[in-house]
């Protein structure tokens, strides 16, 4: 609706009201009146917007500016939240890096201070968890722990295991302590077999060229016959002992009881890496297997069928007594499987050479069953389960997806409902960091808007402050709301398929969240500009403040929305499988821009290009604002005063999402039971423990059905 040109009375009344705050400065009063009079006379006609009478009424009702104090209050409130977040990120930075690269294991100098800082531990509890922190070698650290309670055989086992791993020998008083504390446990005889048999045998290299399948039995070079025989005697003594028992599990359970439940992702990562550093407490199965395999070959060379039968019985009892306890890691399960094949190959070859056809047949049948377990890894269904876990599970759990290759096909893979909590917890952590980063990116825009008024002269700055009162509370609400609306849309988008939250962070390495947040920030900058320009044009049209929205602003909006749509569509695209990796099951969806392949790379490049163009449009607008025409200076100064509260409100809104994401992180961690460490799963998480147990049970079943 157009308004007629203002009447002289309306014009004079408005001028008197507008310059009233300048009465104390005659020079400023005259200059302001002349500037406003020229603006009214030069305003284009017909005019759409408020009349001068309405403008005068609004200026008379203005209680005075409080915008600066409002902006300061919002800035300080948001700063406090972001500062707290920045401190927590700095404190947990090493753990966050571990989440980004799980192969970059932190050392104990990082783990122990974190746990000690986050827990209230007594000196006795610290000693139980870490040993003597003043020493760097594990042998010395846990020697002090054992000496603090010299009647505990579990502490001695741990100390002796570290001693064997680091010094290649057992403690000097090993046998005396074992005879005093646990003489009937054959586990310690296995440790003696491992220590005494080190480097006593060595496998000969296989011939060059194409190797036959299955591989033939290994040939052995006996370096020290006496050490090998001593290791065999220890092994025989171990399997004839009343029991073989490792105390590793109960010691880890005692340590686990000291640690309270994890309340955040960094707590969980710290506990995971803590338990990953503890030794398995298991003897070197493969080392013992090499000695037994070499002894089996020697029985053939010495034509000793009775010795071979005795060796077969000894190995069988070794498997029956020890293998049920190998639930500490998948590596031990696979080493045990390899050991069983290695030993039986030499036993079967020797049995055939000695004419022991029945034994050779039984051994060969078991070897075939064990080899079939290895061939099952190439099952397409198992490969699909690995990919599903990599694409849909929590980031850290996706690293364990390879365990699905060794899990029996009859065992169900984790369901989508089970994988969701861990995945959403990852996004809560990422969103919390992203909110703090967004605050930092918005800060220059807010400062630019707040200080832009000083780019013009003193008269323009004063007039812009006076004319800022033309905006009504509803106008300010619309301007501020337009800046917060993209953030609300981002939160809603995160719960929709377009948000990409149905994919693991391992799929895109933060590409999707970063792109979404950048588009949101750009929209939070440009949308208030569009709304502010339109509201100022309506309220100050009679003063020559009318103006059209810049095409660059609309182009920025279109580019940002298009980039969000492209990012949302990209993960759902189909691509050929099994063509990129040597291991087909590892060929999951990959949206990490430097490593992605088509069609993902083309779409990601499109989204990145759209965001780059939107950023360029925004920078061009900033350049126009700084170096634009002087005739638009008053309009831009008024707009900057309206935009500053909107940008500070956007910063405050982003900072308020930080505790929201923290609450979501704790909500989801309480519901994530796959990566949770429980008394039943310690020292692994629930998923790893289940996969390891299933693979171990399959191995035991195969051995029991064989020879």
């Amino acid at each position: 609706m157009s308004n007629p040109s203002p009447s002289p009375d309306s014009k004079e009344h408005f001028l008197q009201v507008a310059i009233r705050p300048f009465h104390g400065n005659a020079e400023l009063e005259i200059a302001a009146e002349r500037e406003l009079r020229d603006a009214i006379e030069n305003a284009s006609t017909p005019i759409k917007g408020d009349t001068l009478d309405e403008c005068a009424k609004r200026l008379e009702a203005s209680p005075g500016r409080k915008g600066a104090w409002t902006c300061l209050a919002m800035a300080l409130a948001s700063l406090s939240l972001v500062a707290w977040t920045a401190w927590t990120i700095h404190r947990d930075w090493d753990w966050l890096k571990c989440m980004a690269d799980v192969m970059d294991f932190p050392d104990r100098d990082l783990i122990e201070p974190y746990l000690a800082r986050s827990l209230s531990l007594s000196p006795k509890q610290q000693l139980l968890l870490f040993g003597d922190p003043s020493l760097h070698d594990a042998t010395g650290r846990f020697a002090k722990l054992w000496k603090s309670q010299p009647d505990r055989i579990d502490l001695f086992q741990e100390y002796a295991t570290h001693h064997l791993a680091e010094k290649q020998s057992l403690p000097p008083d090993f046998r005396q302590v074992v005879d005093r504390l646990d003489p009937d446990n054959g586990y310690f005889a296995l440790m003696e077999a491992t220590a005494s048999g080190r480097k006593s045998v060595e496998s000969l290299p296989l011939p060059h060229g194409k190797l036959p399948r299955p591989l033939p039995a290994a040939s052995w070079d006996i370096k020290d016959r006496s050490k090998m025989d001593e290791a065999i005697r220890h092994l025989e003594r171990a399997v004839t002992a009343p029991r073989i028992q490792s105390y590793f599990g109960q010691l880890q359970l005692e340590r686990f009881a000291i640690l309270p439940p994890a309340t955040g992702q960094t707590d969980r990562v710290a506990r995971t890496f803590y338990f990953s550093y503890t030794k398995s407490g298991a003897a070197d199965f493969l080392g013992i297997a090499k000695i037994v395999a070499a002894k089996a070959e020697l029985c053939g060379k010495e034509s000793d069928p009775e010795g071979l039968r005795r060796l077969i019985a000894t190995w069988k009892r070794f498997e029956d007594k020890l293998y049920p306890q190998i639930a500490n890691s998948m590596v031990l399960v696979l080493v045990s499987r390899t050991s069983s094949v290695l030993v039986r190959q030499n036993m079967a070859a020797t049995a055939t050479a000695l004419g022991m056809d029945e034994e050779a047949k039984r051994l060969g049948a078991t070897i075939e069953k064990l080899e079939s377990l290895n061939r099952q890894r190439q099952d397409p269904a198992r490969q699909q389960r690995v990919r599903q876990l990599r694409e849909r599970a929590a980031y850290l759990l996706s690293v364990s997806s390879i365990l699905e290759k060794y899990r029996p096909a009859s065992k169900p893979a984790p369901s989508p409902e089970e994988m969701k909590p861990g995945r959403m917890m990852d996004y809560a952590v990422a969103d919390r960091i992203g909110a703090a980063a967004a605050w930092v990116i918005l800060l220059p825009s807010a400062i630019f808007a707040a200080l832009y008024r000083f780019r013009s002269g003193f008269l323009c700055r004063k007039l812009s402050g006076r004319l800022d009162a033309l905006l009504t509370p509803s106008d300010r609400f619309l301007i501020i709301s337009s800046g917060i609306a993209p953030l609300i849309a981002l939160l809603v988008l995160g719960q929709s398929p377009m948000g990409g939250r149905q994919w693991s962070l391992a799929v895109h390495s933060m590409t999707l969240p970063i792109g979404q947040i950048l588009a949101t920030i750009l929209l939070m900058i440009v949308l208030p500009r569009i709304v502010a320009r339109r509201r100022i044009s309506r309220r100050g049209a009679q003063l020559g403040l009318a103006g059209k929205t810049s095409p660059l602003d609309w182009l920025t909006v279109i580019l940002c929305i298009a980039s969000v749509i492209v990012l949302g569509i990209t993960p759902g695209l189909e691509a050929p499988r099994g063509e990129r990796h040597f291991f087909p099951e590892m060929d999951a969806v990959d949206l990490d821009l430097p490593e992605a392949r088509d069609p993902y790379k083309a779409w990601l490049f499109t989204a990145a290009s759209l965001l780059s163009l939107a950023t360029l449009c925004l920078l061009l607008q900033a350049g126009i604002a700084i170096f634009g025409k002087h005739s638009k200076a008053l309009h831009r100064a008024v707009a900057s005063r309206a935009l500053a509260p909107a940008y500070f409100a956007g910063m405050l809104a982003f900072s308020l999402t930080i505790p929201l994401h923290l609450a979501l992180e704790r909500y989801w961690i309480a519901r994530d039971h796959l990566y949770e460490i429980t008394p039943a799963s310690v020292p692994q998480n629930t998923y790893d423990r289940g996969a390891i147990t299933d693979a171990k049970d399959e191995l035991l079943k195969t051995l029991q059905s064989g020879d």
Side-chain angles (χ1 to χ4, degrees), residues 81-130:
L81 288 171
V82 172
W84 168 71
T85 304
W87 176 80
T88 59
I89 293 174
H90 173 75
R91 181 194 63 186
D92 302 334
W93 183 246
D94 291 300
W95 298 118
L96 296 172
K97 287 195 300 182
C98 290
M99 292 171 61
D101 184 2
V102 294
M103 302 309 294
D104 183 19
F105 274 43
D107 56 26
R108 284 185 174 271
D109 292 337
L110 172 63
I111 294 175
E112 294 171 8
Y114 178 85
L115 291 176
R117 181 177 66 243
S118 59
L119 305 174
S120 298
L121 300 175
S122 66
K124 184 177 180 180
Q125 290 174 325
Q126 291 189 35
L127 186 63
L128 178 62
L129 285 176
F130 313 121

Side-chain angles (χ1 to χ4, degrees), residues 9 88 148 152 162 220 251 296 318-319 332 361 364-365 387 394 419 497 522 587 592 662 684 703:
D9 292 340
T88 59
S148 68
R152 288 187 55 173
H162 287 295
W220 300 93
L251 181 57
F318 169 78
E319 291 178 336
L332 288 180
K361 184 177 180 180
R387 286 195 292 263
M419 291 187 287
L522 293 176
D587 193 18
D592 189 1
L662 180 61
Q684 294 93 17
L703 292 174

Side-chain angles (χ1 to χ4, degrees), residues 7-17 33 37 52:
S7 64
D9 292 340
S10 297
K11 182 191 304 184
E12 295 303 323
H13 176 64
F14 171 79
L15 292 174
Q16 291 178 5
V17 173
E33 180 181 356
R37 190 181 298 277
L52 285 182

Side-chain angles (χ1 to χ4, degrees), residues 334-357:
L334 299 180
V335 167
S336 301
R337 185 190 296 179
T338 302
S339 300
S340 296
V341 172
L342 176 70
V343 169
R344 280 175 174 78
Q345 284 178 330
N346 280 105
M347 287 179 174
T350 300
T352 301
L354 295 177
M356 302 166 61
D357 296 336

